[in-house]
């Protein structure tokens, strides 16, 4: 949990604060799509409840498998029949889907159903509909293509090659749109981007296809890298890794890399950089002795974030991160060498169920860290948070100051967030 061999593989503990965008919610971002979730009843429960609470229940149906149908193999025929029924019903209502997905749970990894063959058979019967197979399989979390990565690849796989390329760019890697006041939109326009596109922008399948015309994919979070590789192969769209950063100098470097990928000159970013630096230092002074707990489920590079805080004068209490990503390795080494006293915890380690709560005055930046540490103050922040660049730093500092001024109602915060384990 916290030792020299920090990142260990073990049984996983999923706290009530762990979760976020389930794969079903991600799939439902595809405009004019419908989804059939195929699993034993218990497996779809969390996703179904979340869909109901967030008003997404209208584009998903559930085929609950019985023990008899699993053992006999009859459920493959049940899938075909269910798809026929749902397509007919949607068509009668004037809502014929452009994309139809078959979602299966991890039990199907043991059964070995040929979902591609089922999709092919359905595609021949309904040539105007794209059929894709999707998986909700937590058992692949430690593989090269975990669920969060695989589902992003699936939702972009329905884009078709465009006849021509325009000057637009795509934001890939996060499923929630970036806040409109993030400076990235203005900076990209000054670099020559005609349009900045994100999957959440579209209500129609035809509109969504405009993402295939973009000249560049800007990958702002690690789960989007695999999808972008495949988009480069299928659609001819190159990509640049531009992960969210919190050290102002790293943000400047990232924009330089984007400009290079676009063949453009990077505009003057001095004013933006100064604003971020000032926000960090002012917040550190405002907090005084209050310490910060960093959550890797809230920021995708927690060690880079921790380093930004330390360099600005904050005191970091602890860091919660399940697995070190390559983009964060340099800053991980920096934190370990410069501040070995900072404990690092794996939030899904079984020992977290008996971990002692902190008695110090702390602000936890993220739900899991807040829940597991017992911090009195928690920043209302999940992994899909809409923050990016210098303005992302400024906004996050505002959120930290606000959280430090009030005691968190953790139960209400988690209920409002509708986390999906």
């Amino acid at each position: 949990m916290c030792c020299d061999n920090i990142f260990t593989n073990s049984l996983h503990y999923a706290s009530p604060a762990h979760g976020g965008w389930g794969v079903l919610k991600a799939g439902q971002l595809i405009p004019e799509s419908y989804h059939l979730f195929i699993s034993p009843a218990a497996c779809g429960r969390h996703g179904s409840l979340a869909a109901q609470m967030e008003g997404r229940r209208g584009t998903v149906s559930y085929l609950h498998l019985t023990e008899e149908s699993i053992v006999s193999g009859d459920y493959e025929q049940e899938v075909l029949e269910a798809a026929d029924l749902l397509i007919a019903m949607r068509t009668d209502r004037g809502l014929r889907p452009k994309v139809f997905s078959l979602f299966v749970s991890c039990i199907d990894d043991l059964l070995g159903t040929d979902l591609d063959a089922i999709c092919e058979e359905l595609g021949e019967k309904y040539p105007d509909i794209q059929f894709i197979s999707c998986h909700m399989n937590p058992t692949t979390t430690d593989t090269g293509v975990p669920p969060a990565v695989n589902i992003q690849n699936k939702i972009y796989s329905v884009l078709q090659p465009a006849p021509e390329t325009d000057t637009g760019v795509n934001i890939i890697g996060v499923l929630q749109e970036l806040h409109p006041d993030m400076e990235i939109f203005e900076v990209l326009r000054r670099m020559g981007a005609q349009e900045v596109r994100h999957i959440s922008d579209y209500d129609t399948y035809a509109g969504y296809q405009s993402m295939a015309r973009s000249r560049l994919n800007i990958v702002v979070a690690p789960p989007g890298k695999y999808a972008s590789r495949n988009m480069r192969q299928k659609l001819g769209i190159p990509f640049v890794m531009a992960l969210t950063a919190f050290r102002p100098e790293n943000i400047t470097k990232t924009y330089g890399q984007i400009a290079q990928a676009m063949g453009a000159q990077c505009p003057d970013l001095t004013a933006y950089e100064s604003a971020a630096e000032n926000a960090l230092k002012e917040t550190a002074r405002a907090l005084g002795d209050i310490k910060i707990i960093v959550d890797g489920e809230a920021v995708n590079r927690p060690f880079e974030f921790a380093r930004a805080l330390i360099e600005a004068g904050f005191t970091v209490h602890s860091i919660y991160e399940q697995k070190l990503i390559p983009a964060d390795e340099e800053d991980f080494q920096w934190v370990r060498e410069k501040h070995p006293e900072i404990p690092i915890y794996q939030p899904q380690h079984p020992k977290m169920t008996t971990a002692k709560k902190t008695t110090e005055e702390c602000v936890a930046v993220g739900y899991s860290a807040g829940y597991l540490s017992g911090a009195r103050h928690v920043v209302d922040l999940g992994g899909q948070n809409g923050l990016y660049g210098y303005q992302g730093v400024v906004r996050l500092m505002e959120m930290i100051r606000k959280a430090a001024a009030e005691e968190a109602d953790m139960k209400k915060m988690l209920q409002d967030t509708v986390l999906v384990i």
Side-chain angles (χ1 to χ4, degrees):
M1 182 171 65
C2 179
C3 57
D4 291 336
N5 186 18
I6 297 170
F7 303 105
T8 60
N9 290 322
S10 67
L11 292 174
H12 280 191
Y13 161 61
S15 80
H18 168 67
W21 277 62
V23 292
L24 175 60
K25 181 178 179 179
Q28 289 178 292
L29 283 174
I30 302 173
E32 297 186 82
S33 62
Y34 201 83
H35 310 270
L36 176 60
F37 201 97
I38 308 151
S39 72
C43 298
R45 184 171 58 236
H46 287 105
S48 179
L49 289 172
Q52 185 70 36
M53 294 172 70
E54 293 187 321
R56 296 182 285 106
R57 190 65 177 81
T59 59
V60 58
S61 295
Y62 291 82
L63 176 59
H64 290 155
L65 304 180
T66 64
E67 184 175 346
E68 181 181 1
S69 64
I70 292 171
V71 172
S72 67
D74 286 345
Y75 91 88
E76 294 186 15
Q77 184 60 37
E78 292 178 14
V79 171
L80 293 169
E81 293 172 357
D84 287 337
L85 175 62
L86 291 169
I87 291 171
M89 290 176 59
R90 299 294 287 181
T91 300
D92 289 344
R93 297 173 185 175
L95 298 170
R96 189 177 180 87
K98 296 292 194 302
V99 177
F100 193 102
S101 74
L102 303 176
F103 269 93
V104 293
S105 65
C106 48
I107 189 174
D108 198 80
D109 291 297
L110 303 176
L111 296 174
T113 307
D114 191 343
L115 285 175
D116 290 337
I118 294 177
C119 288
E120 184 177 348
E121 181 175 343
L122 288 169
E124 291 175 355
K125 188 173 185 179
Y126 306 102
D128 60 320
I129 301 175
Q130 281 195 74
F131 292 88
I132 58 174
S133 60
C134 302
H135 289 73
M136 184 194 76
N137 47 354
T139 56
T140 64
T141 299
D142 294 327
T143 69
V145 188
V149 172
N150 189 42
I151 190 59
Q152 291 215 21
N153 182 54
K154 292 293 184 177
I155 62 177
Y156 295 117
S157 71
V158 303
L159 294 174
Q160 301 302 313
E164 58 184 8
T165 299
D166 60 23
T167 62
V169 297
N170 297 326
I171 302 296
I172 304 292
V174 290
L175 302 175
Q176 178 179 323
E177 69 275 14
L178 299 183
H179 287 293
D181 57 351
M182 300 294 101
E183 81 287 334
I184 184 173
F185 299 103
E186 174 61 25
V187 172
L188 289 174
R189 278 190 287 269
R190 290 165 68 183
M191 290 182 186
Q194 176 187 13
E195 190 174 351
V196 181
R197 299 177 172 123
H198 184 264
I199 188 173
S200 64
D201 296 335
Y202 305 102
D203 296 322
T204 67
Y205 176 79
Y208 180 42
Q209 292 299 317
S210 66
M211 291 188 75
R213 298 200 304 266
S214 295
R215 62 180 294 192
L216 182 69
N217 281 336
I218 299 174
V219 182
V220 300
K225 184 176 181 179
Y226 180 69
S228 293
R229 283 178 175 170
N230 289 330
M231 291 169 75
R232 180 176 61 188
Q233 181 176 356
K234 176 183 177 182
L235 306 176
I237 304 176
F239 70 92
V240 59
M241 295 301 295
L243 302 184
T244 303
F246 293 91
R247 297 179 68 212
E249 62 190 77
N250 283 348
I251 299 172
T252 302
K253 180 180 178 181
T254 298
Y255 278 127
Q257 293 169 336
I258 294 174
Q260 183 177 8
M262 293 180 64
Q265 183 174 353
C266 189
D268 182 16
L269 303 171
T270 304
Y272 289 125
E273 187 171 348
S274 296
E277 290 173 347
N278 291 336
L280 282 161
K281 293 176 182 177
E282 289 172 5
T283 304
R285 286 194 293 270
L287 261 64
D289 295 332
I290 300 177
K291 299 179 179 180
I292 299 292
I293 301 175
V294 175
D295 187 344
E297 291 183 11
V299 293
N300 59 43
R301 295 169 66 187
F303 295 101
E304 195 269 353
F305 178 47
R307 181 174 177 177
L309 295 174
I310 293 167
E311 291 177 337
F314 289 85
T315 300
V316 173
H317 174 276
S318 53
I319 301 171
Y320 287 74
E321 174 66 313
Q322 184 64 24
K323 184 178 181 181
L324 180 66
I325 64 172
D328 216 18
E329 190 166 351
E330 180 180 339
D331 294 303
F332 165 73
Q333 295 296 341
W334 186 92
V335 170
R336 293 292 285 167
E337 291 172 7
K338 301 292 185 181
H339 293 275
E341 77 282 0
I342 297 176
I344 300 169
Y345 302 105
Q346 286 184 289
Q348 296 173 45
H349 196 287
K351 289 186 177 180
M352 293 309 301
T353 59
T354 57
K356 292 183 179 179
K357 307 296 185 182
T358 183
T359 57
E360 298 182 75
E361 190 75 355
C362 296
V363 174
V365 182
Y367 306 125
S368 279
Y371 178 84
L372 296 170
S373 68
R376 290 180 56 232
H377 311 282
V378 181
V379 177
D380 191 357
L381 191 73
Q384 302 285 338
N385 51 53
L387 304 182
Y388 190 83
Y390 307 107
Q391 283 300 113
V393 173
V394 172
R395 181 179 284 265
L396 181 53
M397 292 304 106
E398 294 171 353
M399 296 171 71
I400 289 175
R401 293 196 297 271
K402 181 177 182 293
E406 56 190 31
E407 189 164 342
D409 184 341
M410 199 72 215
K411 183 176 181 179
K412 183 178 185 304
M413 190 177 290
L414 296 180
Q415 288 176 338
D416 291 345
T417 307
V418 193
L419 290 183
V420 180
I421 297 175

